[in-house]
Amino acid sequence: MPHLSPSRIQDHACRVVFNRECGHGLKLLRLQVQSGAQFACQPGQFVMLDLPESRFHFRRPFSVLDTPTTDTFDLYYKQVGVGTGIMWDLQPGDTLNCLGPLGIGFTSPTSPETALYIGGGIGIAPLYLLAKHQAIAGHCFYGVRGQSEIGLEAELQAVFGDKLHIATDNGSYGFHGNVCQLLETQAQTVSAAQEAYVCGPMRMMQATVELLHRM
């Protein structure tokens, strides 16, 4: 991974560049820092979003999906409640505050060509950014409920190519089953890996780590 000097943690005033639907209940939100400051983020870091309504007293955490320019960053989110419902209605030009970048971030893989990136749902976001920063990407195993929830297939294909493996719970696309079952069919690839990066629902991460230890 190229060396990036992380931004100093700031409460950034941001402007919505776009808020684009990219799957069932899924959107890609691009924010631009308004102060002119750079936003340098390490893969695995996150931001705390302050929704533009006074009834919300707590900020919400979101992993950074990408930093396409020095002053913009992308968030990938799913509408699951009132807060993300407010986000869903954000329009270009709307403003909101965002605290970050926060967290330590990932350690770069020592063997990027064999590293495993194992994501569930919107947990794919920080793994995408990590892989994008590698000269050679490893294998990505991505599990979702169904084809309509594969929100970033084109972006993932651009990074992983034929090393992208997708599992759908309902069998509507790719492998029929969950991501752990998909991993079991790729024993040779898994055993060749020296590192694995996992992000997704807690139960999925626990099951994946247990499986990797067994394999």
Side-chain angles (χ1 to χ4, degrees):
M1 179 191 303
H3 176 73
L4 297 175
S5 298
S7 296
R8 181 170 59 87
I9 297 172
Q10 297 183 59
D11 195 9
H12 298 282
C14 297
R15 178 183 66 87
V16 175
V17 178
F18 61 71
N19 190 25
R20 184 176 69 229
E21 191 169 1
C22 57
H24 180 66
L26 297 164
K27 276 195 172 182
L28 182 62
L29 173 65
R30 177 164 296 174
L31 297 173
Q32 182 177 40
V33 177
Q34 292 297 280
S35 65
Q38 293 189 354
F39 187 90
C41 179
Q42 298 286 350
Q45 289 190 295
F46 65 98
V47 296
M48 297 293 290
L49 209 61
D50 189 13
L51 298 180
E53 286 202 15
S54 59
R55 59 175 158 154
F56 297 109
H57 302 294
F58 300 99
R59 299 191 183 213
R60 285 163 170 74
F62 293 92
S63 294
V64 176
L65 171 75
D66 200 2
T67 51
T69 68
T70 58
D71 64 348
T72 61
F73 58 97
D74 293 348
L75 306 178
Y76 178 54
Y77 70 95
K78 182 175 183 178
Q79 184 179 9
V80 294
V82 176
T84 46
I86 297 296
M87 289 175 62
W88 191 268
D89 293 330
L90 290 171
Q91 298 295 318
D94 288 345
T95 59
L96 67 166
N97 286 354
C98 188
L99 182 68
L102 302 167
I104 297 172
F106 293 123
T107 300
S108 299
T110 56
S111 300
E113 67 279 1
T114 62
L116 305 179
Y117 304 84
I118 307 168
I122 58 173
I124 197 67
L127 305 181
Y128 168 80
L129 183 57
L130 175 63
K132 188 177 179 182
H133 283 187
Q134 309 307 312
I136 303 174
H139 286 263
C140 177
F141 295 87
Y142 184 28
V144 293
R145 293 178 181 176
Q147 184 176 6
S148 64
E149 296 190 13
I150 308 171
L152 300 172
E153 185 175 7
E155 290 83 355
L156 293 169
Q157 284 282 1
V159 172
F160 293 104
D162 61 2
K163 292 183 178 180
L164 174 63
H165 315 277
I166 297 177
T168 54
D169 292 342
N170 63 13
S172 57
Y173 188 90
F175 176 82
H176 186 181
N178 61 44
V179 74
C180 286
Q181 292 168 328
L182 174 58
L183 283 165
E184 289 179 318
T185 70
Q186 300 287 328
Q188 184 173 353
T189 297
V190 173
S191 63
Q194 311 232 353
E195 297 117 328
Y197 300 86
V198 185
C199 188
M202 185 60 69
R203 288 180 62 184
M204 168 261 171
M205 291 194 293
Q206 290 174 335
T208 300
V209 171
E210 291 172 2
L211 175 64
L212 291 175
H213 281 303
R214 294 198 303 270
M215 295 181 71

